[in-house]
Amino acid sequence: MLTFDAPSLPSPLAIRECTRPRFDGSLEKLGDWLTDLRAAGIRQSGPALILALEKLRRSELSTSRRLAALSALKRPLLKTCAGLPKPGLAIGKAVSLMSGVTLEQRLDRLMFVNLNQTLRQIDRQGCLLSNREFRRRDWTMRNLFRFAKRQIRYAALWNTPLPEKTWLDLHALHVYLLAQRVMPMSAIAPVDSGTGWTDPELEYKQLLLFGLAAHLHPSLVRTDVFLEGLAGWATQTLLEDPQRMLGRIRLFLVPMLEDEPPRQLAGPLHAAFRGWVLQPPYSFIHRIDGIGYKIDSPRSPFA
């Protein structure tokens, strides 16, 4: 079961009475609370939203109520994060990696944990999901990867540490979603074929590529040209069984039991491990090596 162990959670005594979570699963009370919160300002809304999300995570709610609550909290959370000061902005340098995660990171992390919990609650309902339930599941999955992406990009941009278990939870999520593909539920296509359904494997590969590049070439991931190329590279990227790659050199490893992004192996792979070998396209490898290789557009039919 996922947990949230971010340090320095705010004390309820530090938050004004009007901004303490009081909704107890009632969507009407949640709406009233968010109305009060809008007038409280970012200094109060950030810690208050953390307490609200932690309370939601611990609450016994139906899937519909949990989804409605997360949907209602999402916009205030994003607006609060947009208004929060960034690390080192005032002094023109990034915070030390020893400084811990920021309030914005804790908010994103808690939203991810709640969404992950909700996804599994949806799947426990059974294999015969209606088209409406598929849309709810897709909304949950899409936002799950969105908040994972926010965490990883924030850490790379502002040189901050990631909350603990960020990568572990992503690797576990990928394994979970792979297992769901073989379930009868996953074989049922949604009726509304015009909806842009989320491809979880593509999302996961984009995060792996970003994490690898951020580790090897931190300045690269701050450029627009790199971000624009991620989707195209991810479609060409493979996740291989380590057993098939024994003896090969210069591999990118994704150990699923480590709370780390992909890493490069200098020598040959001598033993299999629990995880995958990441095989990006040559255009991505050239880019992180600093070679001015032309990036194919992710929308190109020849990518």
Side-chain angles (χ1 to χ4, degrees):
M1 180 177 179
L2 290 171
T3 59
F4 178 68
D5 300 317
S8 304
L9 286 175
S11 166
L13 296 177
I15 302 176
R16 291 203 310 253
E17 180 66 29
C18 67
T19 56
R20 292 181 189 173
R22 305 184 305 277
F23 50 89
D24 295 324
S26 167
L27 298 180
E28 183 178 350
K29 289 182 180 179
L30 175 59
D32 293 341
W33 180 76
L34 289 173
T35 299
D36 293 339
L37 194 64
R38 277 195 288 269
I42 291 174
R43 192 172 183 178
Q44 292 289 326
S45 64
L49 284 167
I50 284 183
L51 292 177
L53 285 165
E54 183 63 33
K55 188 171 186 178
L56 178 62
R57 183 180 69 83
R58 297 176 185 275
S59 299
E60 294 291 336
L61 298 175
S62 68
T63 303
S64 297
R65 283 186 173 273
R66 193 175 300 280
L67 279 168
L70 285 171
S71 180
L73 288 166
K74 175 185 165 183
R75 185 175 180 184
L77 184 149
L78 291 174
K79 292 183 71 174
T80 296
C81 288
L84 287 170
K86 307 306 177 188
L89 191 60
I91 57 177
K93 62 180 181 179
V95 296
S96 165
L97 290 181
M98 299 302 292
S99 300
V101 298
T102 67
L103 176 59
E104 182 169 345
Q105 287 176 292
R106 294 199 290 270
L107 286 167
D108 286 337
R109 171 65 178 166
L110 257 179
M111 181 61 87
F112 174 90
V113 169
N114 272 278
L115 287 163
N116 208 331
Q117 176 187 27
T118 304
L119 176 66
R120 293 158 197 258
Q121 185 174 345
I122 292 172
D123 290 344
R124 285 196 299 268
Q125 294 177 177
C127 62
L128 298 177
L129 295 185
S130 67
N131 192 58
R132 181 184 180 186
E133 289 166 334
F134 259 106
R135 287 196 298 269
R136 288 177 171 180
R137 188 178 191 271
D138 188 71
W139 181 91
T140 304
M141 200 157 46
R142 184 170 65 252
N143 281 282
L144 187 53
F145 281 104
R146 177 182 182 180
F147 280 93
K149 187 182 302 180
R150 283 177 58 86
Q151 294 175 72
I152 293 170
R153 289 188 177 180
Y154 184 101
L157 180 61
W158 299 107
N159 193 28
T160 63
L162 279 166
E164 290 184 9
K165 302 183 181 179
T166 296
W167 282 107
L168 271 175
D169 287 348
L170 272 173
H171 301 326
L173 175 63
H174 178 65
V175 173
Y176 172 79
L177 291 172
L178 281 177
Q180 291 300 104
R181 287 187 178 186
V182 302
M183 300 295 287
M185 179 195 70
S186 302
I188 302 173
V191 176
D192 185 4
S193 59
T195 304
W197 302 100
T198 303
D199 183 344
E201 185 167 350
L202 181 63
E203 296 285 349
Y204 179 60
K205 288 177 181 177
Q206 288 188 63
L207 291 172
L208 291 178
L209 294 176
F210 185 94
L212 175 62
H215 176 70
L216 296 177
H217 201 326
S219 62
L220 179 63
V221 299
R222 300 185 179 102
T223 64
D224 290 339
V225 67
F226 175 82
L227 296 178
E228 290 168 0
L230 267 179
W233 290 321
T235 60
Q236 303 171 63
T237 296
L238 301 177
L239 291 174
E240 290 284 2
D241 182 346
Q243 190 70 40
R244 300 178 56 187
M245 310 299 287
L246 293 177
R248 300 195 187 185
I249 62 172
R250 206 190 179 202
L251 297 178
F252 301 111
L253 310 185
V254 187
M256 63 173 289
L257 299 181
E258 296 183 14
D259 193 19
E260 298 289 341
R263 67 170 186 263
Q264 187 172 15
L265 181 66
L269 180 63
H270 293 300
F273 59 94
R274 292 189 65 182
W276 308 272
V277 173
L278 184 73
Q279 286 196 296
Y282 285 115
S283 54
F284 175 85
I285 295 173
H286 284 311
R287 177 60 65 179
I288 62 176
D289 278 345
I291 301 174
Y293 194 90
K294 184 179 183 298
I295 300 176
D296 292 327
S297 168
R299 297 183 180 180
S300 169
F302 304 104

PDB file of all heavy atoms in Angstrom, residues 267-293:
ATOM      1  N   GLY A 267      30.075  -1.195 -18.052  1.00  0.00           N
ATOM      2  CA  GLY A 267      30.574  -2.424 -18.648  1.00  0.00           C
ATOM      3  C   GLY A 267      29.452  -3.305 -19.162  1.00  0.00           C
ATOM      4  O   GLY A 267      28.304  -2.867 -19.319  1.00  0.00           O
ATOM      5  N   PRO A 268      29.750  -4.558 -19.410  1.00  0.00           N
ATOM      6  CA  PRO A 268      28.712  -5.492 -19.882  1.00  0.00           C
ATOM      7  C   PRO A 268      27.776  -5.904 -18.758  1.00  0.00           C
ATOM      8  O   PRO A 268      28.144  -5.875 -17.582  1.00  0.00           O
ATOM      9  CB  PRO A 268      29.517  -6.684 -20.401  1.00  0.00           C
ATOM     10  CG  PRO A 268      30.801  -6.627 -19.636  1.00  0.00           C
ATOM     11  CD  PRO A 268      31.096  -5.179 -19.394  1.00  0.00           C
ATOM     12  N   LEU A 269      26.570  -6.306 -19.119  1.00  0.00           N
ATOM     13  CA  LEU A 269      25.596  -6.808 -18.154  1.00  0.00           C
ATOM     14  C   LEU A 269      25.891  -8.274 -17.898  1.00  0.00           C
ATOM     15  O   LEU A 269      25.780  -9.106 -18.795  1.00  0.00           O
ATOM     16  CB  LEU A 269      24.177  -6.624 -18.705  1.00  0.00           C
ATOM     17  CG  LEU A 269      23.036  -7.096 -17.804  1.00  0.00           C
ATOM     18  CD1 LEU A 269      23.003  -6.295 -16.505  1.00  0.00           C
ATOM     19  CD2 LEU A 269      21.689  -6.987 -18.530  1.00  0.00           C
ATOM     20  N   HIS A 270      26.259  -8.587 -16.648  1.00  0.00           N
ATOM     21  CA  HIS A 270      26.666  -9.955 -16.317  1.00  0.00           C
ATOM     22  C   HIS A 270      25.534 -10.788 -15.732  1.00  0.00           C
ATOM     23  O   HIS A 270      25.579 -12.012 -15.798  1.00  0.00           O
ATOM     24  CB  HIS A 270      27.831  -9.923 -15.325  1.00  0.00           C
ATOM     25  CG  HIS A 270      29.099  -9.373 -15.895  1.00  0.00           C
ATOM     26  ND1 HIS A 270      29.753  -9.940 -16.975  1.00  0.00           N
ATOM     27  CD2 HIS A 270      29.832  -8.282 -15.540  1.00  0.00           C
ATOM     28  CE1 HIS A 270      30.836  -9.249 -17.261  1.00  0.00           C
ATOM     29  NE2 HIS A 270      30.900  -8.228 -16.408  1.00  0.00           N
ATOM     30  N   ALA A 271      24.545 -10.139 -15.119  1.00  0.00           N
ATOM     31  CA  ALA A 271      23.481 -10.898 -14.454  1.00  0.00           C
ATOM     32  C   ALA A 271      22.138 -10.205 -14.655  1.00  0.00           C
ATOM     33  O   ALA A 271      22.067  -8.967 -14.734  1.00  0.00           O
ATOM     34  CB  ALA A 271      23.782 -11.038 -12.963  1.00  0.00           C
ATOM     35  N   ALA A 272      21.092 -11.010 -14.743  1.00  0.00           N
ATOM     36  CA  ALA A 272      19.748 -10.449 -14.869  1.00  0.00           C
ATOM     37  C   ALA A 272      19.315  -9.842 -13.535  1.00  0.00           C
ATOM     38  O   ALA A 272      19.888 -10.140 -12.480  1.00  0.00           O
ATOM     39  CB  ALA A 272      18.772 -11.534 -15.306  1.00  0.00           C
ATOM     40  N   PHE A 273      18.324  -9.010 -13.578  1.00  0.00           N
ATOM     41  CA  PHE A 273      17.809  -8.346 -12.382  1.00  0.00           C
ATOM     42  C   PHE A 273      16.317  -8.117 -12.575  1.00  0.00           C
ATOM     43  O   PHE A 273      15.788  -8.285 -13.681  1.00  0.00           O
ATOM     44  CB  PHE A 273      18.535  -7.015 -12.147  1.00  0.00           C
ATOM     45  CG  PHE A 273      18.395  -6.046 -13.294  1.00  0.00           C
ATOM     46  CD1 PHE A 273      17.384  -5.087 -13.303  1.00  0.00           C
ATOM     47  CD2 PHE A 273      19.260  -6.098 -14.386  1.00  0.00           C
ATOM     48  CE1 PHE A 273      17.234  -4.215 -14.361  1.00  0.00           C
ATOM     49  CE2 PHE A 273      19.114  -5.214 -15.456  1.00  0.00           C
ATOM     50  CZ  PHE A 273      18.108  -4.272 -15.440  1.00  0.00           C
ATOM     51  N   ARG A 274      15.628  -7.716 -11.505  1.00  0.00           N
ATOM     52  CA  ARG A 274      14.191  -7.434 -11.597  1.00  0.00           C
ATOM     53  C   ARG A 274      14.008  -6.034 -12.135  1.00  0.00           C
ATOM     54  O   ARG A 274      14.276  -5.046 -11.444  1.00  0.00           O
ATOM     55  CB  ARG A 274      13.545  -7.586 -10.226  1.00  0.00           C
ATOM     56  CG  ARG A 274      13.520  -9.019  -9.715  1.00  0.00           C
ATOM     57  CD  ARG A 274      12.679  -9.148  -8.470  1.00  0.00           C
ATOM     58  NE  ARG A 274      11.269  -8.863  -8.742  1.00  0.00           N
ATOM     59  CZ  ARG A 274      10.313  -8.875  -7.812  1.00  0.00           C
ATOM     60  NH1 ARG A 274      10.629  -9.120  -6.544  1.00  0.00           N
ATOM     61  NH2 ARG A 274       9.070  -8.621  -8.128  1.00  0.00           N
ATOM     62  N   GLY A 275      13.591  -5.931 -13.344  1.00  0.00           N
ATOM     63  CA  GLY A 275      13.413  -4.638 -13.991  1.00  0.00           C
ATOM     64  C   GLY A 275      13.512  -4.774 -15.491  1.00  0.00           C
ATOM     65  O   GLY A 275      13.195  -5.836 -16.052  1.00  0.00           O
ATOM     66  N   TRP A 276      13.986  -3.717 -16.139  1.00  0.00           N
ATOM     67  CA  TRP A 276      14.031  -3.688 -17.593  1.00  0.00           C
ATOM     68  C   TRP A 276      15.318  -3.035 -18.065  1.00  0.00           C
ATOM     69  O   TRP A 276      15.974  -2.293 -17.326  1.00  0.00           O
ATOM     70  CB  TRP A 276      12.846  -2.880 -18.149  1.00  0.00           C
ATOM     71  CG  TRP A 276      11.537  -3.340 -17.615  1.00  0.00           C
ATOM     72  CD1 TRP A 276      10.727  -4.326 -18.116  1.00  0.00           C
ATOM     73  CD2 TRP A 276      10.890  -2.855 -16.431  1.00  0.00           C
ATOM     74  NE1 TRP A 276       9.630  -4.482 -17.319  1.00  0.00           N
ATOM     75  CE2 TRP A 276       9.691  -3.602 -16.283  1.00  0.00           C
ATOM     76  CE3 TRP A 276      11.175  -1.877 -15.485  1.00  0.00           C
ATOM     77  CZ2 TRP A 276       8.800  -3.387 -15.241  1.00  0.00           C
ATOM     78  CZ3 TRP A 276      10.307  -1.661 -14.434  1.00  0.00           C
ATOM     79  CH2 TRP A 276       9.125  -2.405 -14.316  1.00  0.00           C
ATOM     80  N   VAL A 277      15.650  -3.318 -19.304  1.00  0.00           N
ATOM     81  CA  VAL A 277      16.701  -2.584 -20.001  1.00  0.00           C
ATOM     82  C   VAL A 277      16.010  -1.603 -20.926  1.00  0.00           C
ATOM     83  O   VAL A 277      15.199  -1.995 -21.775  1.00  0.00           O
ATOM     84  CB  VAL A 277      17.623  -3.530 -20.794  1.00  0.00           C
ATOM     85  CG1 VAL A 277      18.597  -2.724 -21.649  1.00  0.00           C
ATOM     86  CG2 VAL A 277      18.384  -4.453 -19.846  1.00  0.00           C
ATOM     87  N   LEU A 278      16.321  -0.333 -20.735  1.00  0.00           N
ATOM     88  CA  LEU A 278      15.723   0.731 -21.539  1.00  0.00           C
ATOM     89  C   LEU A 278      16.517   0.892 -22.824  1.00  0.00           C
ATOM     90  O   LEU A 278      17.737   1.098 -22.791  1.00  0.00           O
ATOM     91  CB  LEU A 278      15.727   2.034 -20.735  1.00  0.00           C
ATOM     92  CG  LEU A 278      15.051   3.252 -21.361  1.00  0.00           C
ATOM     93  CD1 LEU A 278      13.536   3.100 -21.344  1.00  0.00           C
ATOM     94  CD2 LEU A 278      15.462   4.533 -20.614  1.00  0.00           C
ATOM     95  N   GLN A 279      15.848   0.792 -23.964  1.00  0.00           N
ATOM     96  CA  GLN A 279      16.504   0.944 -25.252  1.00  0.00           C
ATOM     97  C   GLN A 279      15.895   2.119 -26.019  1.00  0.00           C
ATOM     98  O   GLN A 279      14.918   1.964 -26.757  1.00  0.00           O
ATOM     99  CB  GLN A 279      16.366  -0.337 -26.078  1.00  0.00           C
ATOM    100  CG  GLN A 279      17.252  -1.475 -25.591  1.00  0.00           C
ATOM    101  CD  GLN A 279      17.378  -2.570 -26.621  1.00  0.00           C
ATOM    102  OE1 GLN A 279      16.397  -3.234 -26.976  1.00  0.00           O
ATOM    103  NE2 GLN A 279      18.580  -2.761 -27.135  1.00  0.00           N
ATOM    104  N   PRO A 280      16.468   3.325 -25.834  1.00  0.00           N
ATOM    105  CA  PRO A 280      15.961   4.490 -26.568  1.00  0.00           C
ATOM    106  C   PRO A 280      16.444   4.463 -28.016  1.00  0.00           C
ATOM    107  O   PRO A 280      17.396   3.745 -28.350  1.00  0.00           O
ATOM    108  CB  PRO A 280      16.594   5.674 -25.808  1.00  0.00           C
ATOM    109  CG  PRO A 280      17.297   5.086 -24.617  1.00  0.00           C
ATOM    110  CD  PRO A 280      17.563   3.655 -24.935  1.00  0.00           C
ATOM    111  N   PRO A 281      15.834   5.263 -28.874  1.00  0.00           N
ATOM    112  CA  PRO A 281      16.318   5.362 -30.255  1.00  0.00           C
ATOM    113  C   PRO A 281      17.658   6.094 -30.299  1.00  0.00           C
ATOM    114  O   PRO A 281      18.019   6.820 -29.372  1.00  0.00           O
ATOM    115  CB  PRO A 281      15.210   6.165 -30.956  1.00  0.00           C
ATOM    116  CG  PRO A 281      14.588   6.962 -29.860  1.00  0.00           C
ATOM    117  CD  PRO A 281      14.639   6.090 -28.645  1.00  0.00           C
ATOM    118  N   TYR A 282      18.388   5.916 -31.401  1.00  0.00           N
ATOM    119  CA  TYR A 282      19.704   6.541 -31.528  1.00  0.00           C
ATOM    120  C   TYR A 282      19.625   8.066 -31.472  1.00  0.00           C
ATOM    121  O   TYR A 282      20.553   8.727 -30.992  1.00  0.00           O
ATOM    122  CB  TYR A 282      20.373   6.095 -32.824  1.00  0.00           C
ATOM    123  CG  TYR A 282      20.893   4.687 -32.773  1.00  0.00           C
ATOM    124  CD1 TYR A 282      20.360   3.707 -33.594  1.00  0.00           C
ATOM    125  CD2 TYR A 282      21.920   4.335 -31.894  1.00  0.00           C
ATOM    126  CE1 TYR A 282      20.836   2.395 -33.535  1.00  0.00           C
ATOM    127  CE2 TYR A 282      22.396   3.036 -31.833  1.00  0.00           C
ATOM    128  CZ  TYR A 282      21.848   2.075 -32.660  1.00  0.00           C
ATOM    129  OH  TYR A 282      22.315   0.783 -32.595  1.00  0.00           O
ATOM    130  N   SER A 283      18.525   8.632 -31.959  1.00  0.00           N
ATOM    131  CA  SER A 283      18.404  10.090 -31.928  1.00  0.00           C
ATOM    132  C   SER A 283      18.419  10.619 -30.499  1.00  0.00           C
ATOM    133  O   SER A 283      18.997  11.669 -30.206  1.00  0.00           O
ATOM    134  CB  SER A 283      17.122  10.540 -32.643  1.00  0.00           C
ATOM    135  OG  SER A 283      15.983   9.892 -32.112  1.00  0.00           O
ATOM    136  N   PHE A 284      17.805   9.878 -29.563  1.00  0.00           N
ATOM    137  CA  PHE A 284      17.814  10.284 -28.155  1.00  0.00           C
ATOM    138  C   PHE A 284      19.222  10.138 -27.574  1.00  0.00           C
ATOM    139  O   PHE A 284      19.702  11.019 -26.857  1.00  0.00           O
ATOM    140  CB  PHE A 284      16.832   9.425 -27.366  1.00  0.00           C
ATOM    141  CG  PHE A 284      16.853   9.688 -25.882  1.00  0.00           C
ATOM    142  CD1 PHE A 284      16.101  10.720 -25.328  1.00  0.00           C
ATOM    143  CD2 PHE A 284      17.634   8.908 -25.033  1.00  0.00           C
ATOM    144  CE1 PHE A 284      16.121  10.971 -23.961  1.00  0.00           C
ATOM    145  CE2 PHE A 284      17.658   9.143 -23.663  1.00  0.00           C
ATOM    146  CZ  PHE A 284      16.901  10.187 -23.133  1.00  0.00           C
ATOM    147  N   ILE A 285      19.884   9.031 -27.878  1.00  0.00           N
ATOM    148  CA  ILE A 285      21.235   8.807 -27.353  1.00  0.00           C
ATOM    149  C   ILE A 285      22.187   9.875 -27.846  1.00  0.00           C
ATOM    150  O   ILE A 285      23.008  10.413 -27.096  1.00  0.00           O
ATOM    151  CB  ILE A 285      21.724   7.399 -27.750  1.00  0.00           C
ATOM    152  CG1 ILE A 285      20.847   6.334 -27.073  1.00  0.00           C
ATOM    153  CG2 ILE A 285      23.190   7.198 -27.365  1.00  0.00           C
ATOM    154  CD1 ILE A 285      21.125   4.925 -27.519  1.00  0.00           C
ATOM    155  N   HIS A 286      22.088  10.226 -29.111  1.00  0.00           N
ATOM    156  CA  HIS A 286      22.932  11.288 -29.657  1.00  0.00           C
ATOM    157  C   HIS A 286      22.639  12.623 -28.963  1.00  0.00           C
ATOM    158  O   HIS A 286      23.553  13.407 -28.711  1.00  0.00           O
ATOM    159  CB  HIS A 286      22.707  11.433 -31.162  1.00  0.00           C
ATOM    160  CG  HIS A 286      23.360  10.358 -31.975  1.00  0.00           C
ATOM    161  ND1 HIS A 286      24.672   9.976 -31.813  1.00  0.00           N
ATOM    162  CD2 HIS A 286      22.876   9.573 -32.974  1.00  0.00           C
ATOM    163  CE1 HIS A 286      24.972   9.004 -32.666  1.00  0.00           C
ATOM    164  NE2 HIS A 286      23.890   8.741 -33.382  1.00  0.00           N
ATOM    165  N   ARG A 287      21.390  12.849 -28.667  1.00  0.00           N
ATOM    166  CA  ARG A 287      21.024  14.120 -28.027  1.00  0.00           C
ATOM    167  C   ARG A 287      21.634  14.215 -26.633  1.00  0.00           C
ATOM    168  O   ARG A 287      22.194  15.251 -26.259  1.00  0.00           O
ATOM    169  CB  ARG A 287      19.506  14.247 -27.955  1.00  0.00           C
ATOM    170  CG  ARG A 287      18.996  15.479 -27.242  1.00  0.00           C
ATOM    171  CD  ARG A 287      19.454  16.771 -27.885  1.00  0.00           C
ATOM    172  NE  ARG A 287      18.893  16.936 -29.222  1.00  0.00           N
ATOM    173  CZ  ARG A 287      19.129  18.000 -30.002  1.00  0.00           C
ATOM    174  NH1 ARG A 287      19.909  18.962 -29.569  1.00  0.00           N
ATOM    175  NH2 ARG A 287      18.583  18.070 -31.195  1.00  0.00           N
ATOM    176  N   ILE A 288      21.528  13.168 -25.827  1.00  0.00           N
ATOM    177  CA  ILE A 288      22.074  13.252 -24.474  1.00  0.00           C
ATOM    178  C   ILE A 288      23.597  13.180 -24.478  1.00  0.00           C
ATOM    179  O   ILE A 288      24.245  13.582 -23.514  1.00  0.00           O
ATOM    180  CB  ILE A 288      21.502  12.156 -23.540  1.00  0.00           C
ATOM    181  CG1 ILE A 288      21.860  10.758 -24.030  1.00  0.00           C
ATOM    182  CG2 ILE A 288      20.004  12.310 -23.390  1.00  0.00           C
ATOM    183  CD1 ILE A 288      21.398   9.657 -23.087  1.00  0.00           C
ATOM    184  N   ASP A 289      24.178  12.694 -25.600  1.00  0.00           N
ATOM    185  CA  ASP A 289      25.640  12.695 -25.716  1.00  0.00           C
ATOM    186  C   ASP A 289      26.159  14.064 -26.142  1.00  0.00           C
ATOM    187  O   ASP A 289      27.375  14.259 -26.239  1.00  0.00           O
ATOM    188  CB  ASP A 289      26.093  11.648 -26.738  1.00  0.00           C
ATOM    189  CG  ASP A 289      26.147  10.255 -26.127  1.00  0.00           C
ATOM    190  OD1 ASP A 289      26.124  10.167 -24.884  1.00  0.00           O
ATOM    191  OD2 ASP A 289      26.203   9.275 -26.880  1.00  0.00           O
ATOM    192  N   GLY A 290      25.244  14.976 -26.441  1.00  0.00           N
ATOM    193  CA  GLY A 290      25.670  16.309 -26.837  1.00  0.00           C
ATOM    194  C   GLY A 290      25.932  16.459 -28.313  1.00  0.00           C
ATOM    195  O   GLY A 290      26.444  17.489 -28.763  1.00  0.00           O
ATOM    196  N   ILE A 291      25.587  15.432 -29.101  1.00  0.00           N
ATOM    197  CA  ILE A 291      25.757  15.524 -30.553  1.00  0.00           C
ATOM    198  C   ILE A 291      24.540  16.208 -31.143  1.00  0.00           C
ATOM    199  O   ILE A 291      23.407  15.888 -30.811  1.00  0.00           O
ATOM    200  CB  ILE A 291      25.929  14.123 -31.177  1.00  0.00           C
ATOM    201  CG1 ILE A 291      27.151  13.437 -30.559  1.00  0.00           C
ATOM    202  CG2 ILE A 291      26.041  14.193 -32.688  1.00  0.00           C
ATOM    203  CD1 ILE A 291      27.328  12.005 -30.985  1.00  0.00           C
ATOM    204  N   GLY A 292      24.753  17.144 -32.015  1.00  0.00           N
ATOM    205  CA  GLY A 292      23.638  17.914 -32.577  1.00  0.00           C
ATOM    206  C   GLY A 292      22.827  17.127 -33.574  1.00  0.00           C
ATOM    207  O   GLY A 292      22.754  17.482 -34.745  1.00  0.00           O
ATOM    208  N   TYR A 293      22.212  16.068 -33.126  1.00  0.00           N
ATOM    209  CA  TYR A 293      21.402  15.217 -34.008  1.00  0.00           C
ATOM    210  C   TYR A 293      20.029  15.841 -34.193  1.00  0.00           C
ATOM    211  O   TYR A 293      19.422  16.296 -33.241  1.00  0.00           O
ATOM    212  CB  TYR A 293      21.271  13.821 -33.398  1.00  0.00           C
ATOM    213  CG  TYR A 293      20.757  12.765 -34.352  1.00  0.00           C
ATOM    214  CD1 TYR A 293      21.632  12.020 -35.127  1.00  0.00           C
ATOM    215  CD2 TYR A 293      19.393  12.525 -34.469  1.00  0.00           C
ATOM    216  CE1 TYR A 293      21.163  11.040 -35.995  1.00  0.00           C
ATOM    217  CE2 TYR A 293      18.920  11.550 -35.351  1.00  0.00           C
ATOM    218  CZ  TYR A 293      19.812  10.818 -36.102  1.00  0.00           C
ATOM    219  OH  TYR A 293      19.331   9.869 -36.958  1.00  0.00           O
TER     220      TYR A 293
END
